[in-house]
């Protein structure tokens, strides 16, 4: 019983800090951006009101470019706390990439009724297991998109930030047959917390587990025995909200699941940032790790001139000279070669 008060205090403090950060970000923009008349932006995302039983009570928003080709890829995107699907789309640039390269998007959006801070409930057992809660709602969104738009079932991917990154871990573990790959940004490994009281400690430092113990959690999440999704892990070295040690735990978890040695990897520099890759026996890349030096808590973005003119990135969208969205799309084979050289 003595644990409840400190944890409640920590959660209250965390919420105040996140709100203060969002307020400070908005204030800073007002100071540096000259007021100007702008036309109202056309809403890029379309809400789908019916997509199954929706046991997790989530919203489904989509972006489908004109003349979507048959058997097109699909990317599922999960926003972070204090964000909406539209916020995340505007900051990350996913709909711009989807329009340019011909793939569909589905955004799952959290409701305040589920979580006051709009965080996905990756830590609640009911929402983080196969066949129930928020995990099943996201699975039903994929099913709806496949039926409506003839999506290629072999090219379905998922990515998310923070709580959305942790929920991405949930989906890769509980529905591995659905996803070809996932991008976990400032997230946590599957099984990092079970219930609200474990959340803050897991964010500060993952529980001490061996690689096999982390891997066992994924293997126990479903009865699936086929090939596992590829995993791309992104984390800032100065993240004070979700410690970068969670990236190390994620790496241990997924190298064990894929059966590759954590000590055998290829390292390169990409836009000034460290990139490490792990390959399976066939030589296929199965895991990527991007450690962004000096970056705090958020999604790595590279602001274009148009974005800078429009007001820059949304809260928790950090301009570090590299677009995680673009590089995920490239690694998943979604970027058409004839336009791939437009940006780096």
């Amino acid at each position: 019983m003595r644990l409840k008060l400190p944890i409640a205090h920590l959660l209250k403090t965390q919420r105040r800090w996140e709100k203060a950060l969002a307020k400070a970000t908005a204030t800073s923009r007002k100071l540096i951006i000259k007021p100007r008349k702008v036309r109202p932006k056309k809403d890029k995302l379309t809400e789908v009101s019916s997509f199954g039983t929706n046991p997790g009570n989530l919203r489904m928003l989509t972006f489908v470019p004109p003349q979507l080709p048959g058997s097109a890829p699909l990317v599922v995107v999960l926003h972070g706390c204090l964000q909406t699907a539209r916020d995340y789309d505007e900051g990350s640039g996913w709909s711009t990439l989807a329009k340019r390269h011909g793939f569909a998007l589905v955004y799952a959006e959290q409701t305040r009724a589920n979580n006051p801070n709009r965080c996905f409930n990756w830590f609640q057992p009911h929402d983080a297991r196969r066949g129930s809660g928020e995990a099943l709602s996201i699975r039903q969104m994929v099913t709806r998109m496949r039926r409506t738009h003839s999506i290629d079932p072999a090219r379905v991917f998922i990515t998310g930030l923070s709580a959305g990154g942790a929920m991405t871990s949930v989906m890769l573990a509980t529905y591995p047959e659905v996803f070809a790959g996932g991008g976990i940004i400032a997230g946590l490994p599957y099984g990092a917390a079970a219930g609200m009281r474990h959340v803050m400690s897991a964010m500060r430092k993952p529980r001490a587990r061996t690689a096999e113990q982390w891997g066992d959690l994924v293997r126990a999440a479903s009865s699936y025995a086929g090939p596992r999704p590829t995993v791309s892990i992104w984390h800032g070295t100065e993240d004070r909200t979700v410690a970068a040690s969670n990236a190390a735990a994620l790496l241990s978890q997924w190298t064990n699941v894929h059966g590759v040695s954590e000590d055998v990897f290829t390292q390169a520099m990409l836009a000034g940032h460290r990139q490490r890759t792990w390959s399976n026996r066939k030589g296929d890349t199965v895991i990527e790790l991007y450690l962004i030096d000096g970056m705090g808590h958020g999604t790595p973005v590279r602001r274009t001139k148009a974005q800078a003119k429009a007001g820059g990135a949304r809260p928790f969208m950090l301009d570090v000279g590299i677009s995680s969205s673009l590089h995920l799309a490239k690694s998943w084979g979604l970027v058409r070669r004839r336009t791939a050289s437009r940006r780096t």
Side-chain angles (χ1 to χ4, degrees):
M1 297 296 293
R2 288 181 295 175
L3 290 173
K4 292 184 178 179
L5 287 176
I7 289 165
H9 176 72
L10 283 170
L11 290 172
K12 186 176 181 180
T13 301
Q14 178 68 17
R15 287 195 292 269
R16 285 202 303 264
W17 181 86
E18 289 176 332
K19 290 178 180 179
L21 179 58
K23 183 177 180 180
T25 303
T27 301
S28 66
R29 288 181 190 160
K30 292 179 181 179
L31 293 174
I32 63 176
I33 299 171
K34 295 180 180 180
R36 60 188 182 88
K37 294 182 179 180
V38 294
R39 294 180 180 179
K41 292 183 179 180
K42 184 178 180 180
D43 198 344
K44 295 180 181 180
L45 306 184
T46 301
E47 183 167 6
V48 177
S49 59
S50 179
F51 54 90
T53 58
N54 189 18
N57 190 33
L58 301 178
R59 296 180 68 200
M60 175 181 175
L61 295 96
T62 68
F63 177 83
V64 180
Q67 299 179 340
L68 182 73
S71 297
L74 172 68
V75 178
V76 180
V77 187
L78 307 177
H79 62 80
C81 297
L82 302 176
Q83 294 178 319
T84 65
R86 291 180 173 88
D87 288 339
Y88 196 84
D89 182 68
E90 184 173 345
S92 65
W94 270 112
S95 60
T96 300
L97 289 169
K99 183 177 181 180
R100 180 175 296 148
H101 301 291
F103 58 88
L105 299 174
V106 59
Y107 278 87
E109 184 175 276
Q110 183 61 284
T111 62
R112 292 194 183 278
N114 287 351
N115 188 296
N117 287 326
R118 294 188 183 274
C119 306
F120 288 99
N121 291 312
W122 57 271
F123 48 86
Q124 297 289 15
H126 177 74
D127 290 306
R129 66 170 179 253
R130 185 181 179 99
S132 69
E134 293 176 12
L136 180 54
S137 289
I138 296 169
R139 174 67 179 93
Q140 290 176 344
M141 294 179 196
V142 174
T143 300
R144 172 63 188 268
M145 290 297 288
R146 284 182 56 183
R147 290 175 177 172
T148 306
H149 301 288
S150 299
I151 296 298
D152 183 350
R155 293 194 294 167
V156 179
F157 305 90
I158 185 168
T159 183
L161 164 68
S162 191
M167 201 67 192
T168 297
S169 292
V170 169
M171 298 308 295
L172 294 175
T174 56
Y175 291 100
E177 78 282 9
V178 173
F179 301 102
I184 303 169
I185 304 172
L188 298 93
Y190 178 70
M196 178 69 77
R197 66 176 184 172
H198 298 134
V199 170
M200 294 302 294
S201 60
M203 291 168 62
R204 288 194 304 268
K205 183 179 180 181
R207 188 176 302 182
R209 289 188 173 109
T210 66
E212 185 173 3
Q213 287 172 331
W214 280 117
D216 285 344
L217 291 172
V218 172
R219 285 183 285 270
S222 75
S223 59
Y224 179 72
R228 295 285 174 167
T230 62
V231 177
S232 186
I233 303 165
W234 297 70
H235 220 110
T237 60
E238 298 301 317
D239 193 329
R240 299 293 183 242
T241 302
V242 178
S245 52
N246 279 286
L250 273 164
L251 180 62
S252 292
Q253 185 167 66
W254 285 99
T255 51
N256 182 263
V257 169
H258 278 285
V260 299
S261 172
E262 191 172 333
D263 298 324
V264 181
F265 57 87
T266 301
Q267 181 165 299
M269 298 298 291
L270 187 64
H273 302 290
R274 286 175 287 170
Q275 176 200 39
R276 293 178 178 177
T277 58
W278 283 258
S279 300
N280 59 19
R281 292 180 181 179
K282 296 179 180 179
D284 300 323
T285 297
V286 292
I287 301 170
E288 296 178 327
L289 173 64
Y290 293 84
L291 292 175
I292 311 299
D293 286 326
M295 191 182 81
H297 186 65
T299 294
V301 299
R302 177 179 179 271
R303 288 171 66 185
T304 65
K305 291 181 180 179
Q307 288 171 334
K309 188 176 181 180
R314 290 284 180 177
F316 307 112
M317 296 289 175
L318 306 181
D319 182 9
V320 292
I322 184 172
S323 168
S324 54
S325 302
L326 176 59
H327 284 282
L328 284 171
K330 284 183 175 180
S331 70
W332 294 336
L334 307 183
V335 174
R336 296 171 182 169
R337 290 187 179 183
R338 64 185 178 86
T339 56
S341 62
R342 290 184 179 178
R343 295 184 194 175
T344 57

